[in-house]
Structure formats: structure tokens, C-alpha cells
């Protein structure tokens, strides 16, 4: 197993606390330049991926209902750009991924993807992308909540598994049936599904191609919240995102970074870095704001510094 040495731990801590340093250099407040601000992409019949800012959260929508929200290469790159823009916008603290129409997504647009592959072009080639399946670096450093409904198959299930918190409508039908079509789950399910649901549960569905429902997903632990329908699932995801956004962004980022280090690298390295990370938080304005708000019995107002 790959292990972080002391240099890597120090590097991770330095990167994690870069925003407070930048804030000090900018006179004590995080600046949001025009180039760092994530732009809205309004809903329209030709818009495959929409972006809607709502205060400190952003809603990212898959909009191809005429083809069951299947994800083609252009949609994948648009999602990857949206994730990148969200991650680098200091005014945004949580994101929600959802789908328009009667289903979240039936997965990959096979014909469009085959045509793209045969063209010799490379997907997400160059800077400015974060792979929405989380297969390559860089990855998201801020929280992602997903709300699914209806058919959520194959690549769509892999987008779902890559999120931090997952909400499902009771009508959701999950599928990971690539093996029955002569393919295999290439978007991360072979790694994340066994980790999240347990080996036997994941293999039960990956190897047979059988589909399963929202209650079964809740039993396996891949779903955190159930909602009665699509609208309720999206509303619940937005509510969760707003609660995350109201928390201290530095602590949120540290929590995600440490958890990922433990899962993807070494538990001992993650544990060894906790003391330094915690001491760094104690010196921030947000830490003092949390203390002041508690003493004054008011909601805290965190600034990310």
C-alpha cells in the first residue's frame, strides 16, 4: 500500500492551509476575482449541463432527458469544468448534482462515446477539469451532494458513488450491468461500490447485472437519505448542502482531506497529521468566530480565514 512519508504529510498540510495564507496577503479577507467566480449556465433545450448559483451553494444539473440523460463526452467535459470551477471558487462551499426529467441518468451515451474514441481525441485533455468520476487528480476538495431519482444506471451510478453524501428518491432504480453488455464498470464502481457496500453486496450486482432499488441501496449504505419523490430528494440535498455551507469551510476542507488521506493512502499518515491540522485551525478567525457565536448564542458567520 502507498504510504505518505513526513514530507508528503507536511506538503498536504501546507496545501490545506494555503487559503488562510492568501487571505493574510490580501489584507485579511479572501478575495474572489472575476476569473475565480463560477458562472451560471442557465437551463435551455440545448444546454447539456446547467449551473445555478444559490448563495454559497451551486446546483449542477444533467439536462439530456430526450436521451434518458445519458452522458456523452461533451457532457462529461462540461461536468468536469463545472466541478473545477466550483472547487476553485472561494465563495462556494457545497455543490448539489441532480438530473432533469423522469430519471437521473441511464449512464453513458455509448454511440457518442464510441465515435469520440474512434476520432483519436482525448477526454478532459489539459487543465481546467476535475474528473467527475474521481479517477484522476486533481479531485474535488469541497463537498458534493447528489440527488438521484428514477433510472440511475452504470456511469450514472458511478457519478453517484463519487459524491460525498447521497440522497435518493424512493422510485430510484440502480444498475451496474456493464458485464451483461460485454463491458465492465470503468468509472470507479469496481473500487467504490465494494468499499461503500461491502464486497458481497457489490459483487451481487456487478457480476449478475441485476438492478436494485433505493431501499436496498439504503440497506447497503450507499444511500444516506430517502425521499418520496424527485422534488423531495432535490430539496433534501439542497437542505444538506446549505447546512454544510453554514459550517466553517476550513474545518470542512480539513475533514474531507483527512478522510481521503486515510481511505486512499495511509491511516497512520492521516492520524499523524491531525495534530498539526487542528493547531492550524486554532489560529484562524473562523475558530474564534465559532467560539464567539456560541457565547453570544447566535449563528456563526464564517469567512474561510
Amino acid at each position: 500500500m502507498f504510504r505518505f512519508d513526513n514530507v508528503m504529510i507536511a506538503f498536504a498540510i501546507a496545501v490545506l492551509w494555503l487559503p488562510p495564507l492568501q487571505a493574510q496577503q490580501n489584507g485579511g479577507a479572501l478575495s474572489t476575482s472575476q476569473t475565480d467566480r463560477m458562472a451560471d449556465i442557465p437551463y435551455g433545450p440545448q444546454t447539456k449541463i446547467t449551473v445555478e448559483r444559490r448563495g454559497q451553494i451551486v446546483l449542477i444539473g444533467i439536462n439530456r432527458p430526450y436521451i434518458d440523460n445519458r452522458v456523452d463526452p461533451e457532457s462529461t467535459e462540461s461536468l468536469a469544468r463545472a466541478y473545477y470551477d466550483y472547487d476553485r471558487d472561494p465563495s462556494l462551499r457545497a455543490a448539489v448534482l441532480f438530473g432533469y426529467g423522469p430519471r437521473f441518468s441511464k449512464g453513458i451515451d455509448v454511440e457518442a462515446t464510441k465515435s469520440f474514441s474512434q476520432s483519436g481525441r482525448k477526454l478532459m485533455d489539459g487543465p481546467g477539469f476535475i474528473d467527475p468520476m474521481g479517477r484522476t487528480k486533481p479531485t474535488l476538495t469541497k463537498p458534493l451532494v447528489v440527488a438521484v431519482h428514477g433510472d440511475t444506471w452504470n456511469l450514472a451510478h458511478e457519478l453517484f458513488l463519487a459524491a460525498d453524501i447521497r440522497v435518493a428518491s424512493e422510485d430510484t432504480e440502480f444498475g451496474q450491468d456493464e458485464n451483461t453488455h460485454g463491458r465492465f464498470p470503468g468509472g470507479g464502481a469496481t473500487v467504490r461500490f465494494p468499499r461503500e457496500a461491502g464486497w458481497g453486496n457489490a459483487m451481487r450486482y456487478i457480476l449478475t447485472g441485476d438492478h436494485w432499488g433505493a431501499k436496498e441501496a439504503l440497506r447497503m449504505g450507499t444511500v444516506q437519505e430517502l425521499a418520496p419523490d424527485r422534488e423531495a430528494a432535490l430539496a433534501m440535498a439542497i437542505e444538506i448542502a446549505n447546512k454544510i455551507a453554514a459550517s466553517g469551510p476550513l474545518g470542512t476542507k480539513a475533514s474531507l482531506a483527512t478522510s481521503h488521506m486515510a481511505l486512499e493512502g495511509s491511516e497512520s499518515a492521516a492520524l499523524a497529521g491531525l495534530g498539526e491540522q487542528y493547531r492550524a485551525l486554532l489560529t484562524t478567525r473562523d475558530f474564534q468566530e465559532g467560539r464567539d457565536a456560541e457565547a453570544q448564542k447566535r449563528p456563526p458567520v464564517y469567512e474561510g480565514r
Side-chain angles (χ1 to χ4, degrees):
M1 178 180 290
F2 178 80
R3 291 185 176 277
F4 289 89
D5 57 19
N6 291 335
V7 174
M8 287 300 293
I9 295 172
F11 176 76
I13 292 170
V15 171
L16 182 62
W17 298 112
L18 185 60
L21 176 61
Q22 290 175 330
Q24 292 168 7
Q25 292 173 342
N26 287 322
L30 280 172
S31 64
T32 306
S33 69
Q34 194 65 31
T35 56
D36 287 338
R37 184 176 175 84
M38 187 178 189
D40 282 321
I41 302 176
Y43 173 87
Q46 303 303 317
T47 305
K48 296 181 179 181
I49 302 296
T50 66
V51 173
E52 180 187 353
R53 300 175 61 100
R54 291 192 183 183
Q56 293 178 318
I57 74 169
V58 61
L59 276 58
I60 302 172
I62 302 173
N63 183 36
R64 303 190 80 206
Y66 51 87
I67 194 171
D68 301 321
N69 275 351
R70 294 183 186 273
V71 179
D72 65 353
E74 183 182 350
S75 303
T76 300
E77 289 200 333
S78 294
L79 265 181
R81 289 192 193 96
Y83 280 26
Y84 178 85
D85 290 344
Y86 157 58
D87 205 57
R88 71 198 295 262
D89 186 335
S91 70
L92 294 172
R93 298 182 182 178
V96 175
L97 177 66
F98 70 100
Y100 290 91
R103 54 190 56 82
F104 176 69
S105 169
K106 280 193 174 182
I108 195 168
D109 184 335
V110 176
E111 290 305 315
T113 302
K114 180 181 177 182
S115 175
F116 181 89
S117 178
Q118 291 175 340
S119 73
R121 291 176 290 169
K122 293 182 179 179
L123 196 63
M124 297 178 287
D125 187 21
F129 299 105
I130 288 180
D131 181 0
M133 273 71 73
R135 296 165 297 187
T136 58
K137 303 294 181 181
T139 56
L140 278 175
T141 65
K142 294 195 286 189
L144 175 66
V145 184
V146 64
V148 297
H149 67 287
D151 298 333
T152 303
W153 299 356
N154 301 335
L155 182 71
H157 182 240
E158 291 172 314
L159 289 171
F160 164 85
L161 288 174
D164 299 300
I165 300 171
R166 309 177 196 107
V167 181
S169 169
E170 291 179 356
D171 72 346
T172 306
E173 180 184 273
F174 294 99
Q176 201 74 67
D177 60 16
E178 288 94 337
N179 287 346
T180 67
H181 300 288
R183 308 191 300 271
F184 95 111
T190 53
V191 177
R192 292 191 176 91
F193 200 5
R195 186 181 73 195
E196 298 289 323
W199 181 268
N201 286 326
M203 292 304 115
R204 162 70 180 83
Y205 293 108
I206 289 176
L207 299 182
T208 65
D210 289 346
H211 289 195
W212 67 99
K215 290 183 179 179
E216 172 69 352
L218 183 67
R219 180 194 70 79
M220 292 190 293
T222 58
V223 164
Q224 282 67 64
E225 298 284 351
L226 284 183
D229 52 38
R230 174 192 180 274
E231 289 72 23
L234 181 55
M236 186 178 293
I238 292 171
E239 180 183 0
I240 291 170
N242 277 318
K243 286 182 178 180
I244 294 170
S247 299
L250 299 179
T252 297
K253 189 173 184 180
S255 298
L256 281 175
T258 302
S259 298
H260 279 297
M261 185 183 290
L263 278 177
E264 300 160 12
S266 162
E267 284 190 10
S268 59
L271 290 168
L274 292 178
E276 184 61 32
Q277 289 170 322
Y278 201 83
R279 283 191 293 274
L281 268 177
L282 295 179
T283 66
T284 65
R285 175 67 188 86
D286 278 0
F287 174 79
Q288 188 59 49
E289 168 62 12
R291 300 272 294 174
D292 292 345
E294 184 177 12
Q296 297 165 16
K297 295 181 172 52
R298 60 171 174 81
V301 180
Y302 296 113
E303 300 178 11
R305 62 187 178 97

